[in-house]
């Protein structure tokens, strides 16, 4: 959002960068090496257009020069498979990654990492992350068997037994409203207006319950977009999902 038109893309055929909103692309393959086809997540960081973080099957790679060269991040994340990334919108030096063995946080733009969530069994497989600000600050962690709020005081389970599937795929915590959450599972989209204590299912209008990812609409924090197995949908004010 800080750099309009700048887009980074991770594919099975390498990492790409566009400076014009996706009309033209340049491949960034130098320095990624054997991990080039194993990039599972990607994010800019620290308010710098040239700082890129890659989550790969063997840890986190960092570039300071727009992808010309990459180096391995230091710290506990090591060579762990990184499934997802989230950058704190209020402090872009703070980055979280979800791995197959828990969640890690960096406070220096991705250079060093420490583990903040271990989980047990399927809950260690972190598939979705979102930073939340407000009365209940912390990191929302979506795992293979549920949703959790992780804070310096510990962790609590959210929406216990309220989802159509416990396997969480994506989480959106709208800016400026700590009580509002959207969660995607393999079977639907769910919304909470009370900080994750209770959830309502938003299934009306979806051609398929197979929701792959969610994204906040920056011009309207009360709405989200949903990527599904049969296209892209937008949440309408009345609570229905409309095809894009």
């Amino acid at each position: 959002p800080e750099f309009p038109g700048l887009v980074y893309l991770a594919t099975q055929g390498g990492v790409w960068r566009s400076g014009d909103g996706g009309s033209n692309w340049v491949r960034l393959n130098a320095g990624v090496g054997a991990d080039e086809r194993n990039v599972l997540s990607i994010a800019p960081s620290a308010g710098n257009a040239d700082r890129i973080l890659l989550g790969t099957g063997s840890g986190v790679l960092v570039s300071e020069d727009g992808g010309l060269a990459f180096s391995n991040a230091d710290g506990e994340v090591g060579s762990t498979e990184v499934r997802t990334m989230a950058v704190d919108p209020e402090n872009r030096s703070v980055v979280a990654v979800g791995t197959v063995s828990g969640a890690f946080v960096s406070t220096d733009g991705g250079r060093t990492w420490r583990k903040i969530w271990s989980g047990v069994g399927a809950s260690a497989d972190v598939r979705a992350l979102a930073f939340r600000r407000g009365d209940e600050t912390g990191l929302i962690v979506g795992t293979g068997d549920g949703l959790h709020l992780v804070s310096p005081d510990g962790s609590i389970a959210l929406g216990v037994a309220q989802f159509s599937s416990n396997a969480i795929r994506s989480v959106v915590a709208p800016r400026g409203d700590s009580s509002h959450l959207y969660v995607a599972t393999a079977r639907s989209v769910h919304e909470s207006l009370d900080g994750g204590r209770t959830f309502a299912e938003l299934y009306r209008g979806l051609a398929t319950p197979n929701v792959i990812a969610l994204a906040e609409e920056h011009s309207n924090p009360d709405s989200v977009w949903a990527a599904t197995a049969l296209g892209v949908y937008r949440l309408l004010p009345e609570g229905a999902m409309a095809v894009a």
Side-chain angles (χ1 to χ4, degrees), residues 8-17 27-44 52-63 67 69-72 79-85 97-98:
Y8 290 106
L9 182 67
T11 77
Q12 291 183 333
V15 181
W16 302 74
R17 170 176 169 149
R27 189 175 182 179
L28 308 176
N29 58 355
V32 181
D35 291 315
E36 180 184 358
R37 297 181 182 274
N38 202 19
V39 177
L40 305 176
S41 53
I42 185 169
I52 314 167
L53 304 179
L54 301 182
T56 76
S58 55
V60 176
L61 296 177
V62 182
S63 174
F70 289 88
S71 60
N72 292 312
S79 59
T80 306
E81 180 178 318
V82 177
R83 290 184 174 271
T84 186
M85 285 184 172
V97 296

Side-chain angles (χ1 to χ4, degrees), residues 21-225:
S23 296
N24 296 281
W25 295 89
V26 175
R27 189 175 182 179
L28 308 176
N29 58 355
V32 181
D35 291 315
E36 180 184 358
R37 297 181 182 274
N38 202 19
V39 177
L40 305 176
S41 53
I42 185 169
S45 175
N48 183 345
D50 289 326
R51 168 168 267 271
I52 314 167
L53 304 179
L54 301 182
T56 76
S58 55
V60 176
L61 296 177
V62 182
S63 174
E64 303 280 1
D65 54 14
L68 296 179
F70 289 88
S71 60
N72 292 312
D74 298 325
E76 297 180 53
V77 72
S79 59
T80 306
E81 180 178 318
V82 177
R83 290 184 174 271
T84 186
M85 285 184 172
V87 180
D88 187 337
E90 296 185 5
N91 182 358
R92 299 191 69 83
S93 292
V94 178
V95 187
V97 296
T99 76
V100 294
S101 61
F104 297 78
V105 166
S106 170
T107 58
D108 56 12
R111 296 178 182 86
T112 59
W113 298 85
R114 62 182 177 85
K115 196 170 193 177
I116 64 165
W117 168 257
S118 294
V120 178
S123 69
D125 184 3
V126 178
R127 306 178 182 185
L129 295 169
F131 284 94
R132 185 164 77 175
R133 297 299 184 199
D135 296 334
E136 294 181 278
T137 61
L139 183 68
I140 304 295
V141 176
T143 74
D145 67 355
L147 192 69
H148 307 267
L149 172 62
V150 180
S151 71
D153 298 327
S155 64
I156 59 173
L158 300 177
V160 178
Q162 296 183 43
F163 299 123
S164 55
S165 167
N166 284 336
I168 307 299
R169 285 187 168 177
S170 187
V171 179
V172 166
R175 295 161 294 159
D177 187 354
S178 62
S179 64
H180 207 166
L181 288 175
Y182 294 100
V183 176
T185 72
R187 296 180 182 175
S188 194
V189 178
H190 302 261
E191 180 184 30
S192 174
L193 299 176
D194 57 11
R197 294 172 181 82
T198 61
F199 283 86
E201 192 170 9
L202 305 176
Y203 58 86
R204 289 188 296 132
L206 287 175
T208 172
N210 188 5
V211 180
I212 300 168
L214 298 176
E216 179 180 353
E217 184 173 308
H218 285 279
S219 60
N220 180 12
D222 291 327
S223 189
V224 295
W225 293 82

